[in-house]
Amino acid sequence: MFAPEQLADNSLVAVDGVGLAPPGVQEAVNGKSAKAGGAAKNKKKQAAAVNVRNWLRIDQNGETTMIQADKYKLTHKLGVQGRDLRIMDPSLATSYPSAILCREKALVVSLEHIKVIITTANVLVINPEDENVLPFITELKMKISQPSLAVSGSYPSALNDLAGGQAKVMPPSRSVAKLETLASLQMPFELKALEVCLDSMPCELKALEVCLDSIASYLNRLTSDLEAAAYPALDSLTSRVTAHNLERVRRIKSRLVRLTTRVENVREVLEGYLDDDQDMKDMNITAKEQHAIQQELEAQREARDSSNKRSSSNRGSSSSSSSSSSSSSSSNSSVEEEEIAEVEMLLEAYFMHVDNTFNRLQTLNEYIQDTEDLVNLKLDQHRNQLIGIDLIMTGFTCSIAIMTATAGYFGMNLNSYIQEEPVWFNLVVISSTVGSLALFAFFVGMLWYRQLLVF
């Protein structure tokens, strides 16, 4: 047992309810726990700062607002998934290919540098400070703020109204001015009809159109720049094969491969949607919401009709209700076809644009391959010429070797008594020289006869 003095001097206190420690130890532990708590709070703040991003919101009137939102709020409010936001991360742009994803309440567009989330009310841009995105933002604000033509019915009726010079407009003054502007332009009737149909699209399809137009124009511009640099380099390589020209063509081919992959990714995305009508139907979020409201109203109407059926046993009324339901189903199917045709017309136009860019790149690739084949043929020709020269030099060396052997024979320190006659020296020199030249001429003639020499 402790003495009372010891208890008074060394009083013990509880540390976190686990054990007992002296007061000095308690203060040290409190300091460490405070530091640990501060470090944990800093880590939470850093994690929250990583999850929170700045977004540029563009509403239907073209007004912009900078907002901050984390991925959890976006996934909850817009119905997108966490992997969708990861695909849109600008720092991971090279890790994921281009994609257009249809979600319940939004369209997730990740095409090259254009990374946006499109809803029926606004558009969220993740990287508004990028210099390549600034022209897209300007065009998007101008496009979605334009008044829409309220074209009722189907597209043929809209085209008939346009052909007759009349169309239902909303508001009247702006739409009439739009039609007058279209009529004053020297453009075919089909393009005028296309302009009217595109102006009647909902907000999300207008934003999608601006995305596709921007990315198609961007890829087309890159292709034009590549062509402007490639064709002169290939022509110079064809005229003269040098290390500098070969290096230029190698860099151009590397750019071509990368750009072809990017264009092909966008082309495959559009082609995938054009091959599936359900995906094109899901792109029209406004129509999908209207159909949901209409189905709810029809369900309420059917509930009222069923209650009326119980109260009345009139057979004629039941037959009329069945006929009305069949007519409504047929009208709904026609409306769905028109909605799919609206999205298909939009996607097909830009698919043709991207496909044209892809074909230009394929043509450039074929031109590069043809140039490479021509360069290889020229190199093979030079190689054959070098081989022919090597054969000639080999034959000449053999001829000289015969003369050298003859000189070696007569240069031996032996007494042959021929050296005493001066005529033998001239005879040996002339005969060995003429014999060597005759053998060399015979060798070259045989090569020429066998067509082994190409000059």
Side-chain angles (χ1 to χ4, degrees):
M1 295 181 64
F2 293 100
E5 292 81 3
Q6 291 178 339
L7 290 177
D9 295 335
N10 298 325
S11 58
L12 301 177
V13 293
V15 180
D16 295 334
V18 177
L20 296 177
V25 178
Q26 171 65 19
E27 292 177 358
V29 171
N30 289 336
K32 291 181 180 179
S33 61
K35 291 182 180 178
K41 289 181 180 179
N42 291 331
K43 289 183 179 179
K44 290 181 179 180
K45 289 181 180 179
Q46 292 177 358
V50 171
N51 293 328
V52 174
R53 287 186 176 275
N54 293 326
W55 296 79
L56 180 66
R57 182 177 63 185
I58 305 175
D59 58 11
Q60 295 179 351
N61 298 323
E63 298 180 356
T64 59
T65 307
M66 289 296 298
I67 61 174
Q68 288 186 348
D70 56 0
K71 62 180 182 180
Y72 304 108
K73 185 182 294 184
L74 291 174
T75 54
H76 178 69
K77 295 291 184 180
L78 303 180
V80 298
Q81 302 176 3
R83 61 182 181 181
D84 300 339
L85 300 178
R86 184 173 179 82
I87 291 175
M88 297 181 63
D89 192 349
S91 61
L92 301 175
T94 59
S95 302
Y96 297 96
S98 299
I100 300 177
L101 305 176
C102 293
R103 297 297 179 245
E104 183 179 359
K105 300 178 182 179
L107 293 176
V108 179
V109 179
S110 177
L111 299 175
E112 295 291 328
H113 56 276
I114 298 177
K115 301 180 183 298
V116 297
I117 299 178
I118 304 173
T119 64
T120 56
N122 47 50
V123 180
L124 298 179
V125 184
I126 192 173
N127 52 346
E129 68 279 355
D130 191 353
E131 59 180 5
N132 294 324
V133 184
L134 294 178
F136 162 73
I137 294 174
T138 304
E139 185 179 359
L140 180 61
K141 290 167 59 179
M142 181 180 63
K143 186 68 178 179
I144 65 176
S145 61
Q146 289 179 354
S148 300
L149 292 175
V151 181
S152 61
S154 60
Y155 286 111
S157 63
L159 300 182
N160 292 331
D161 292 339
L162 183 62
Q166 296 177 354
K168 295 181 180 180
V169 294
M170 181 181 291
S173 59
R174 294 183 178 179
S175 301
V176 169
K178 177 70 174 178
L179 290 177
E180 290 178 354
T181 303
L182 290 175
S184 62
L185 295 176
Q186 299 296 329
M187 58 189 306
F189 171 75
E190 292 82 1
L191 294 181
K192 296 179 183 180
L194 179 61
E195 184 71 19
V196 173
C197 293
L198 290 178
D199 282 344
S200 64
M201 290 190 305
C203 177
E204 67 271 12
L205 293 185
K206 283 185 179 181
L208 180 62
E209 179 197 1
V210 176
C211 295
L212 295 177
D213 181 67
S214 298
I215 197 63
S217 301
Y218 175 72
L219 295 176
N220 185 48
R221 185 171 65 254
L222 291 180
T223 303
S224 300
D225 295 341
L226 182 60
E227 288 177 342
Y231 286 112
L234 294 173
D235 293 338
S236 62
L237 179 62
T238 304
S239 61
R240 186 178 181 183
V241 180
T242 60
H244 176 68
N245 292 335
L246 288 173
E247 180 64 22
R248 286 176 61 190
V249 174
R250 186 193 67 81
R251 293 178 181 177
I252 289 172
K253 191 171 183 181
S254 299
R255 290 172 56 189
L256 175 64
V257 171
R258 292 194 297 267
L259 184 57
T260 303
T261 303
R262 295 160 62 182
V263 174
E264 189 175 6
N265 287 335
V266 178
R267 181 176 176 271
E268 289 178 354
V269 169
L270 297 179
E271 187 177 9
Y273 277 97
L274 287 173
D275 292 339
D276 196 338
D277 292 343
Q278 185 62 36
D279 290 341
M280 290 189 290
K281 181 182 176 182
D282 293 339
M283 275 188 167
N284 199 337
I285 304 175
T286 301
K288 187 165 57 175
E289 293 179 354
Q290 291 177 356
H291 288 322
I293 296 174
Q294 185 178 2
Q295 289 177 359
E296 185 178 356
L297 295 176
E298 288 180 356
Q300 295 176 0
R301 182 174 57 83
E302 289 178 358
R304 289 195 303 268
D305 291 342
S306 61
S307 62
N308 293 332
K309 281 183 183 180
R310 295 191 192 96
S311 61
S312 84
S313 59
N314 190 357
R315 186 174 181 180
S317 62
S318 63
S319 62
S320 62
S321 63
S322 61
S323 62
S324 63
S325 63
S326 62
S327 62
S328 64
S329 62
S330 62
S331 63
N332 290 333
S333 62
S334 63
V335 169
E336 290 180 358
E337 291 178 356
E338 291 176 0
E339 294 170 353
I340 294 175
E342 182 180 14
V343 179
E344 184 178 8
M345 179 180 64
L346 172 64
L347 296 180
E348 188 174 3
Y350 290 101
F351 173 77
M352 294 176 62
H353 192 179
V354 176
D355 186 64
N356 182 35
T357 304
F358 181 74
N359 291 333
R360 290 169 58 189
L361 292 174
Q362 292 298 318
T363 303
L364 180 58
N365 187 26
E366 292 175 359
Y367 191 81
I368 291 177
Q369 290 179 355
D370 294 340
T371 305
E372 289 179 350
D373 294 338
L374 180 60
V375 170
N376 289 329
L377 290 175
K378 286 188 174 183
L379 293 177
D380 291 339
Q381 183 183 6
H382 291 309
R383 191 180 298 110
N384 293 333
Q385 291 177 355
L386 292 175
I387 291 174
I389 294 173
D390 182 68
L391 288 175
I392 292 175
M393 295 303 296
T394 301
F396 184 74
T397 303
C398 292
S399 302
I400 297 298
I402 293 175
M403 298 174 62
T404 304
T406 303
Y409 291 152
F410 284 93
M412 294 180 182
N413 193 13
L414 296 176
N415 191 7
S416 60
Y417 302 102
I418 298 178
Q419 69 273 13
E420 297 178 356
E421 298 292 335
V423 69
W424 283 102
F425 176 78
N426 296 330
L427 181 62
V428 170
V429 170
I430 293 173
S431 60
S432 61
T433 303
V434 171
S436 299
L437 293 177
L439 181 62
F440 176 70
F442 176 77
F443 179 73
V444 173
M446 287 297 297
L447 293 178
W448 186 267
Y449 178 76
R450 299 282 184 179
Q451 296 181 353
L452 298 177
L453 294 179
V454 180
F455 295 103

